[in-house]
Amino acid sequence: MTTAVKARRWGWWFVAEHRVSHIRAYWITLLVTSLGSPFVYLLGLGLGLGILIDENQGGAGVGGVPYLTFVTPALLLSAVMQGSSQENTFGTFGGFKWTHWYITQYASPITPAQMVLGSQLGILVRTSITAACYVVVIAVAGIAPLGRALLLLPVAMLLSVAVGFAVTSWVATQVDDRGQLSFVERFVVTPLALFSGTFYPLEVLPAYLQWIGWISPLWHAVELGRWVMYGADIPGWRLVVHVLFLVALAAVTAALSIRTFERRLDK
């Protein structure tokens, strides 16, 4: 099999391998922060805010479970959303503007679709490391059994690609960085973390703010995460909606990303 044929068939894998190879440059930092952050957050919330909330609720916690159990899946998934957003913001823009990864790859038989899918697969490896570290901490801390905690991984992976494709589909349209790339973190990711039922049930928000959660991929993932980790009381039809929302978001924005890559690289 010639190199050109391999590239046409396995181009997406080569792109993913290229993205993963860059993790070697900061893997120690990634591992330390991925393990350290959950310890700090869970310790602070469990021994601090969690105790106050549980006592205020007469020991009932939130939704019938301790506050720490309630908030843990949300913290894991929020970290995954943030990681996916960051990688797909500056990573995608840099691939066009700074490192010219995509322009170089386009000179080979690798197609724009393979670039989009391969990049997302490579980023998924990075976000899965973060999620796996959270799972280890959850199990070690006794917040949930390891078997239950592991069920958070597929939810995290689905959230990662849904957010990743959505961010990439917009970033790929940006030609110059005038500060707008930082807006994704400041005015999209952070607000979503606050208004997606992360630290409190979405229902406690005023009705005129709850719509933010309904369109937030994080809220849909958090609901699924709480269901798989400790069996939160969520109707079956709503679980189906959560899954379909994330799958549809990933599929639609993946198609948009591919189209944008094709148009930009054909110029």
Side-chain angles (χ1 to χ4, degrees):
M1 186 182 297
T2 65
T3 302
V5 173
K6 286 183 179 180
R8 282 193 293 268
R9 181 175 299 180
W10 297 98
W12 59 273
W13 178 260
F14 296 150
V15 175
E17 188 177 33
H18 175 259
R19 290 302 295 258
V20 172
S21 69
H22 286 268
I23 296 178
R24 292 181 298 181
Y26 60 93
W27 72 270
I28 295 179
T29 301
L30 174 62
L31 192 60
V32 170
T33 55
S34 295
L35 284 172
S37 293
F39 268 114
V40 172
Y41 278 114
L42 297 177
L43 182 66
L45 290 172
L47 299 180
L49 182 61
I51 292 177
L52 294 176
I53 292 177
D54 292 342
E55 290 180 349
N56 187 59
Q57 297 297 321
V62 179
V65 297
Y67 180 72
L68 182 59
T69 303
F70 170 82
V71 79
T72 293
L75 291 176
L76 182 156
L77 294 165
S78 182
V80 167
M81 179 180 72
Q82 184 178 40
S84 179
S85 173
Q86 290 173 347
E87 291 287 339
N88 283 283
T89 301
F90 294 98
T92 298
F93 184 83
F96 285 109
K97 190 71 174 180
W98 300 322
T99 62
H100 304 294
W101 288 341
Y102 299 126
I103 296 172
T104 302
Q105 292 167 2
Y106 195 53
S108 74
I110 296 176
T111 66
Q114 290 174 327
M115 296 178 201
V116 171
L117 298 177
S119 292
Q120 210 56 238
L121 179 59
I123 293 170
L124 183 60
V125 172
R126 182 252 188 268
T127 55
S128 294
I129 292 173
T130 297
C133 288
Y134 258 92
V135 167
V136 170
V137 174
I138 291 170
V140 170
I143 299 172
L146 178 60
R148 282 281 192 171
L150 285 172
L151 294 176
L152 291 169
L153 292 179
V155 179
M157 294 170 69
L158 180 56
L159 175 64
S160 178
V161 296
V163 171
F165 282 128
V167 173
T168 290
S169 65
W170 174 76
V171 172
T173 66
Q174 304 303 299
V175 178
D176 296 305
D177 178 17
R178 297 186 175 87
Q180 76 273 25
L181 298 180
S182 299
F183 289 179
V184 175
E185 180 70 24
R186 297 175 184 174
F187 300 107
V188 178
V189 174
T190 299
L192 287 183
L194 296 175
F195 294 98
S196 298
T198 307
F199 300 102
Y200 41 77
L202 187 66
E203 293 75 17
V204 305
L205 286 175
Y208 60 84
L209 290 177
Q210 292 184 19
W211 66 270
I212 300 177
W214 301 338
I215 64 172
S216 166
L218 179 59
W219 177 68
H220 292 279
V222 167
E223 289 274 282
L224 290 171
R226 287 178 175 141
W227 179 70
V228 300
M229 196 185 92
Y230 64 84
D233 187 17
I234 301 174
W237 67 267
R238 214 161 83 183
L239 294 174
V240 173
V241 170
H242 293 325
V243 173
L244 291 179
F245 179 92
L246 293 171
V247 171
L249 178 62
V252 171
T253 54
L256 290 175
S257 298
I258 293 171
R259 181 177 299 180
T260 302
F261 269 56
E262 290 173 342
R263 290 176 178 175
R264 184 161 183 174
L265 291 169
D266 282 338
K267 290 183 179 179

